[in-house]
C-alpha cells in the first residue's frame, strides 16, 4: 500500500461516525485498513484487527437481531452520490452463494470533491434511501446496516479513497509508527483504538451455541433445577498467548473459576464455564460472574454480570 505525501491532507475531509450506534455498547470495529504493503496484515494500532488487502473500516453489529431491527447507516461526510446498488440478498456469502463481482453487496459511492470518495458496503437489501446524483450532508441517512455481498457478519464497510488510493482515516499518512494512529485522525470525534474486548456476557441454564449468541436469540435464565449453571462471554480480537479467566460465585460458598491460555488468534470468539446442576438443585439467591481477558500479564478487558435464582 503506497504512502502519500502529507500535503494531500490539506483538503482531506472530516468524517463522522457512519453508523447510528455507540462503539463499545451496541457495535464495535472488527477490522481496520490493512497498512502492511506486503502479504502480511497490520492495522493502524499495529494490531491484528485486519487482514491482507482489507481496504476499509468495518463497523460491526453485535447480533443479527440488531440487523433485523434496523440500524441506520449515515453519511460520514457531505458530497454527491455517484453510484448505488441494491437488491443483493443478505447472508448470501455465508450460505455459499456466489458474490463474485459484487463483493460490496448493496453499496453507495459518494464523491466528496477534491479527489476524495467514500464507499459504503454490505447495506441491508432494499434499504438504500438515496439516489444517484443526490447531494447529501454529513449525517444524512443512507440505508441500514446489512450483510450483503462478501460479508460474514452484519456490518458496514466504509472505505475512504483519495485519487483512487485507499486512505486509513485513523492514520491517513500511513506512518510506520504505532503512535501515528493516536496523533492523526480524520474523524471529527476520534475513537480510541480498541484492539480487543468483550462484547456481551451473561448467565444461562444450559451450554449455549455461539450461533445463538450471534443471532441474538434469547437464552434460558438459570434456575434451581435447570440443566446447568453457565456463565458465557463473547468478544473480539483474541491473540495467541492471551489468557481468559472466568469466575462464578454464589450462595453457600459456591465458587467456580477457570483460566485458560489461547493458542491461536481469533477475530471473534466465544467461551463459557459452568457446572451441571447438583441433585438437590442450586441454592437460591444471587450469583455473580466475572470474565477477564489478559495480555502479557495485564488485564485488557473485564466484564461482569449477576443473576438470581428464586
Amino acid at each position: 500500500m503506497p504512502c502519500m505525501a502529507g500535503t494531500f491532507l490539506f483538503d482531506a475531509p472530516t468524517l463522522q461516525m457512519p453508523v447510528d450506534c455507540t462503539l463499545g455498547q451496541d457495535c464495535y470495529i472488527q477490522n481496520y485498513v490493512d497498512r502492511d504493503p506486503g502479504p502480511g496484515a497490520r492495522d493502524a494500532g499495529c494490531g491484528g484487527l485486519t487482514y491482507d488487502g482489507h481496504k476499509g473500516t468495518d463497523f460491526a453489529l453485535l447480533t443479527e437481531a440488531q440487523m433485523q431491527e434496523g440500524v441506520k447507516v449515515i453519511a460520514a461526510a457531505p458530497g454527491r452520490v455517484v453510484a448505488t446498488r441494491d437488491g443483493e440478498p443478505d447472508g448470501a456469502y455465508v450460505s455459499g452463494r456466489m458474490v463474485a463481482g459484487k463483493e460490496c453487496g448493496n453499496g453507495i459511492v459518494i464523491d466528496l470533491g477534491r479527489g476524495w470518495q467514500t464507499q459504503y458496503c454490505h447495506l441491508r437489501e432494499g434499504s438504500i434511501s438515496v439516489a444517484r446524483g443526490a447531494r447529501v450532508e454529513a449525517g444524512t441517512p443512507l440505508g441500514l446496516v446489512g450483510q450483503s455481498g462478501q460479508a460474514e457478519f452484519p456490518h458496514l464497510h466504509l472505505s475512504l479513497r483519495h485519487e483512487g488510493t485507499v486512505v486509513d482515516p485513523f492514520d491517513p499518512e500511513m506512518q510506520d509508527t504505532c503512535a501515528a494512529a493516536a496523533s492523526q485522525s480524520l474523524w471529527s470525534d476520534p475513537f480510541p483504538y480498541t484492539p480487543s474486548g468483550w462484547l456481551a456476557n451473561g448467565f444461562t441454564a444450559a451450554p449455549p451455541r455461539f450461533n445463538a449468541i450471534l443471532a441474538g436469540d434469547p437464552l434460558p435464565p438459570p434456575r434451581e433445577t435447570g440443566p446447568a449453571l453457565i456463565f458465557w462471554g463473547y468478544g473480539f480480537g483474541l491473540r495467541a498467548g492471551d489468557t481468559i479467566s472466568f469466575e462464578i460465585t454464589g450462595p453457600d460458598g459456591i465458587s467456580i473459576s477457570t483460566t485458560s491460555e489461547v493458542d491461536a488468534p481469533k477475530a471473534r470468539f466465544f467461551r463459557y464455564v459452568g457446572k451441571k446442576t447438583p441433585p438437590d438443585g442450586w441454592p437460591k439467591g444471587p450469583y455473580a460472574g466475572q470474565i477477564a481477558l489478559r495480555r502479557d500479564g495485564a488485564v485488557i478487558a473485564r466484564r461482569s454480570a449477576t443473576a438470581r435464582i428464586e
Side-chain angles (χ1 to χ4, degrees), residues 39-87:
R42 184 177 60 177
D43 63 33
C46 293
L49 286 182
T50 189
Y51 54 86
D52 188 26
H54 191 244
K55 299 178 180 179
T57 306
D58 290 344
F59 294 86
L61 303 183
L62 273 59
T63 67
E64 294 172 13
Q66 287 177 271
M67 182 184 80
Q68 297 304 327
E69 291 171 3
V71 178
K72 288 188 291 187
V73 173
I74 53 184
R80 181 173 59 88
V81 177
V82 295
T84 66
R85 179 170 59 218
D86 205 340

Side-chain angles (χ1 to χ4, degrees), residues 7-303:
T7 54
F8 84 108
L9 290 176
F10 177 77
D11 287 330
T14 299
L15 306 179
Q16 71 172 46
M17 178 70 175
V19 179
D20 186 17
C21 63
T22 302
L23 288 172
Q25 294 184 20
D26 51 0
C27 63
Y28 67 105
I29 297 177
Q30 177 67 76
N31 292 302
Y32 295 81
V33 171
D34 174 23
R35 51 184 275 183
D36 189 312
R42 184 177 60 177
D43 63 33
C46 293
L49 286 182
T50 189
Y51 54 86
D52 188 26
H54 191 244
K55 299 178 180 179
T57 306
D58 290 344
F59 294 86
L61 303 183
L62 273 59
T63 67
E64 294 172 13
Q66 287 177 271
M67 182 184 80
Q68 297 304 327
E69 291 171 3
V71 178
K72 288 188 291 187
V73 173
I74 53 184
R80 181 173 59 88
V81 177
V82 295
T84 66
R85 179 170 59 218
D86 205 340
E88 297 301 314
D90 294 289
Y93 182 66
V94 294
S95 65
R97 284 175 281 178
M98 295 293 294
V99 297
K102 297 181 179 180
E103 289 84 357
C104 178
N106 303 312
I108 301 167
V109 178
I110 297 178
D111 190 290
L112 311 181
R114 305 176 304 280
W116 292 91
Q117 285 189 335
T118 47
Q119 183 177 21
Y120 304 75
C121 293
H122 311 310
L123 276 70
R124 203 171 91 179
E125 182 180 11
S127 75
I128 290 180
S129 57
V130 292
R132 183 174 180 178
R135 289 285 308 179
V136 298
E137 298 301 322
T140 298
L142 304 177
L144 300 175
V145 176
Q147 196 178 344
S148 59
Q150 191 170 323
E152 296 181 354
F153 50 89
H155 70 285
L156 169 71
H157 172 100
L158 176 69
S159 286
L160 175 67
R161 297 188 289 264
H162 182 257
E163 302 292 355
T165 298
V166 173
V167 176
D168 183 357
F170 288 90
D171 181 17
E173 292 194 82
M174 300 294 190
Q175 298 292 323
D176 290 332
T177 59
C178 301
S183 62
Q184 296 191 37
S185 172
L186 297 181
W187 299 105
S188 58
D189 186 12
F191 334 119
Y193 170 75
T194 305
S196 309
W198 296 107
L199 298 171
N201 63 292
F203 282 95
T204 186
R209 296 177 298 108
F210 193 20
N211 285 345
I213 300 296
L214 295 177
D217 295 341
L219 300 177
R223 58 187 189 274
E224 183 181 8
T225 57
L229 177 67
I230 302 292
F231 186 55
W232 59 269
Y234 156 39
F236 72 101
L238 201 60
R239 298 185 190 176
D242 289 351
T243 59
I244 298 174
S245 299
F246 279 83
E247 182 179 11
I248 300 173
T249 57
D252 298 347
I254 287 176
S255 179
I256 304 169
S257 61
T258 66
T259 297
S260 58
E261 183 171 329
V262 176
D263 59 5
K266 288 186 178 296
R268 295 185 296 171
F269 64 96
F270 173 63
R271 298 285 191 280
Y272 64 84
V273 68
K275 285 187 176 181
K276 291 183 178 180
T277 301
D280 54 352
W282 294 105
K284 294 182 180 180
Y287 289 76
Q290 183 170 266
I291 47 178
L293 176 61
R294 289 179 172 84
R295 181 167 297 157
D296 300 325
V299 175
I300 62 169
R302 192 191 302 273
R303 291 282 289 263

